Amino acid sequence: MASRSTGFNSGLDIGKSYYVATANPAPDHRALAGDVEADMVVVGGGCTGLSAALHAAERGLKVVLLEGGKIGWGASGRNGGQMIPGLRKGARGLVKSFGPERAKALFDLAFEARGLVLDIIERHGIECDLRQTGHLVGAVTSSDVRDFEDEAECLAKVMNFTDVEILSAAEARRMVDTPYQGAVYERLGGHMHPLNYTLGLARAAVAAGVVIHENSVAVRLEREPSIRVFTDKGSVRAKHVVLAGDALLKGLEPRVNSRIMPVGNYIVATEPLGARNVIPANVAVSDTLFVVNYYRMSADGRLLFGGGERYTPSPPADIAGFVRPHMEKTFPQLKGCRIDHAWGGLVSITTSRLPHVGHYGEVYFAHGYSGKGVILSTLSGKLLAEAITGDASRLDLFSTLTPLPFPGGTALRGPLYVLGMLWYAMRDRLRH
Ligand SMILES: Cc1cc2nc3c(=O)[nH]c(=O)nc-3n(C[C@H](O)[C@H](O)[C@H](O)COP(=O)(O)OP(=O)(O)OC[C@H]3O[C@@H](n4cnc5c(N)ncnc54)[C@H](O)[C@@H]3O)c2cc1C
């Protein structure tokens, strides 16, 4: 797998990731050459695109998928693997923005992502180190614990959802060996090897009839007289197009791009920790900092720790050195431990922290999961396929979430956003 190199999106040290080093064998897919026709063309071989392709093919559509790099080369194959049900925006935020009825409908729909992913893993026999051990959010301050309590109350009252448990500092410490003020434990969360899940999804899509072309960057989208997507060596003419390039999509459809912002995020994998395991409950963990730390144990006993964001286009020269201080602040007992892998990826965020999903005519898109896309991306892909094959009701519910564009237009959104982010990151340092 490490030799499956590609020019497109090969930055941020994907080749050095723990996931690439432990990837299941997967076939190469030849690049597009010449002009072909299909019912649907998908741009992007991450979980959004693959799920859209799989579900459309299962409904009888002829589907061609173009991936600029290799399958799983984007966020889907690089992320923390934390399976966190729901949306990035909490229950109270949803109620405030949409009222209780719509908030509950959105919550229920987003929650479906968990069951969908578990079903796909089982149905297609995907080996991806799935652990249904739950997800814990550690409170950095005592006011965060009060916040958890208010959120749990809203979840119970409005969403009729009671699968969360507020933990005391001592109870949290028994699950993860770092001193939080308390925690909220979401029993229905978990974690998995995201690249192996993505490769499994690709295998399922191919079995359903999808034709995948890797190393095939979509460089131009023509809408008239019909949809046609061009690479430098060919084109796909189709009735519908799904844009599933997330943070990497760039200029194919400017209306889609103006509502997401790519942010660099970095992860390390330690040496196998053996008896020094710091997460006895083997849960996925994140904390309440604005620049969130998130971590979990891998199947072979390493700590996979994500921490630190960068709002400038260039990654840090030494990713391990960039993440290590965040890890050692959380786990001083791991000071000096060996780091075997370090890599990064681009998280696409929106102004509302809700996904941007919808369509302009026959141009469909879904992206901007704002750091909560491991399972939500598979659901979004399915909603796109449902809409394209005639039932848009559930996609329509999601597309009402449309976030505002970033202020400053495409030229200024970066600098203005960086200023805002730096302010919140500084607040983290004062709180922690
Ligand atoms: C470091 C990191 C950690 C994260 N951790 C978590 C986590 O623990 N839990 C969680 O829920 N979420 C997490 N996320 C977010 C989650 O990974 C993403 O939301 C999700 O994977 C997005 O999936 P996608 O298929 O939409 O996009 P991607 O997986 O990025 O796929 C897009 C694909 O499109 C291809 N592409 C783009 N443009 C073109 C083009 N023009 N032509 C052809 N191909 C193109 C890219 O090469 C890429 O393969 C994390 C993200 C990152 C980067």
Side-chain angles (χ1 to χ4, degrees):
M1 186 79 186
S3 66
R4 289 159 40 94
S5 67
T6 168
F8 186 73
N9 190 26
S10 55
L12 301 182
D13 283 345
I14 175 76
K16 295 183 187 158
S17 89
Y18 166 76
Y19 301 132
V20 169
T22 53
N24 294 333
D28 288 325
H29 301 276
R30 66 171 182 79
L32 178 71
D35 303 324
V36 299
E37 297 206 355
D39 296 314
M40 173 173 140
V41 53
V42 178
V43 177
C47 293
T48 302
L50 289 165
S51 169
L54 167 66
H55 289 102
E58 283 178 344
R59 286 165 171 75
L61 262 52
K62 184 178 173 199
V63 183
V64 172
L65 183 146
L66 303 174
E67 164 53 48
K70 305 298 289 183
I71 291 298
W73 235 227
S76 296
R78 304 171 182 234
N79 61 56
Q82 306 220 344
M83 303 165 72
I84 312 169
L87 295 160
R88 171 81 183 265
K89 207 180 187 98
R92 286 167 302 162
L94 288 177
V95 172
K96 198 168 163 210
S97 301
F98 305 106
E101 208 169 302
R102 245 176 86 208
K104 176 155 171 38
L106 286 165
F107 178 87
D108 289 347
L109 179 55
F111 208 84
E112 214 184 285
R114 172 182 180 269
L116 175 67
V117 169
L118 295 181
D119 178 60
I120 287 176
I121 290 173
E122 195 188 323
R123 213 155 31 96
H124 298 285
I126 300 177
E127 287 177 18
C128 58
D129 302 336
L130 173 68
R131 299 289 184 273
Q132 292 178 255
T133 44
H135 173 242
L136 179 143
V137 187
V140 172
T141 67
S142 48
S143 73
D144 294 332
V145 180
R146 286 193 293 280
D147 202 51
F148 291 158
E149 287 163 353
D150 293 345
E151 182 69 10
E153 195 184 321
C154 180
L155 279 170
K157 258 197 201 146
V158 183
M159 312 299 179
N160 199 18
F161 183 82
T162 51
D163 266 314
V164 293
E165 198 182 330
I166 308 293
L167 305 182
S168 67
E171 287 166 333
R173 189 80 188 239
R174 280 197 284 279
M175 296 182 97
V176 48
D177 194 8
T178 186
Y180 288 125
Q181 303 293 314
V184 61
Y185 174 58
E186 303 167 309
R187 193 176 58 79
L188 298 176
H191 55 91
M192 65 165 160
H193 187 304
L195 180 56
N196 281 339
Y197 171 68
T198 310
L199 292 172
L201 205 51
R203 178 167 51 80
V206 169
V210 175
V211 176
I212 295 179
H213 295 291
E214 294 177 316
N215 295 313
S216 300
V217 181
V219 291
R220 190 160 64 86
L221 167 63
E222 207 174 79
R223 289 177 197 75
E224 303 291 340
S226 59
I227 298 284
R228 195 166 171 195
V229 177
F230 293 83
T231 69
D232 63 350
K233 297 212 170 60
S235 74
V236 186
R237 194 187 291 279
K239 296 186 192 83
H240 323 272
V241 58
V242 167
L243 299 180
D246 201 40
L248 297 156
L249 190 61
K250 301 208 179 94
L252 279 186
E253 168 50 88
R255 284 175 295 184
V256 170
N257 269 78
S258 63
R259 289 170 204 266
I260 56 166
M261 169 78 68
V263 173
N265 194 280
Y266 304 95
I267 310 188
V268 296
T270 65
E271 61 188 308
L273 293 178
R276 296 161 80 198
N277 177 1
V278 287
I279 316 179
N282 198 13
V283 288
V285 187
S286 53
D287 64 23
T288 51
L289 290 174
F290 180 77
V291 180
V292 66
N293 293 311
Y294 57 95
Y295 49 89
R296 66 183 180 90
M297 301 304 292
S298 65
D300 62 356
R302 302 165 190 273
L303 178 67
L304 265 52
F305 189 100
E309 284 180 345
R310 217 164 138 102
Y311 310 112
T312 53
S314 56
D318 171 12
I319 292 179
F322 180 75
V323 178
R324 185 187 278 281
H326 299 276
M327 181 185 83
E328 292 186 347
K329 189 160 187 178
T330 309
F331 296 113
Q333 63 272 45
L334 295 183
K335 228 173 201 100
C337 84
R338 202 177 71 227
I339 287 177
D340 285 345
H341 305 271
W343 69 100
L346 295 174
V347 179
S348 76
I349 57 171
T350 62
T351 47
S352 61
R353 304 297 185 269
L354 289 168
H356 182 214
V357 177
H359 64 109
Y360 296 111
E362 293 312 315
V363 181
Y364 288 77
F365 57 86
H367 58 179
Y369 308 108
S370 302
K372 257 203 177 183
V374 163
I375 56 177
L376 209 49
S377 50
T378 300
L379 175 73
S380 296
K382 185 179 180 200
L383 298 184
L384 294 172
E386 282 176 7
I388 286 169
T389 53
D391 177 6
S393 54
R394 285 150 39 98
L395 183 77
D396 285 349
L397 180 61
F398 249 30
S399 47
T400 56
L401 301 177
T402 299
L404 291 171
F406 279 86
T410 41
L412 275 179
R413 68 176 177 170
L416 287 179
Y417 187 72
V418 167
L419 277 177
M421 289 287 140
L422 290 173
W423 157 247
Y424 283 111
M426 189 180 78
R427 276 199 345 175
D428 269 356
R429 280 195 276 279
L430 297 175
R431 262 156 47 96
H432 198 25

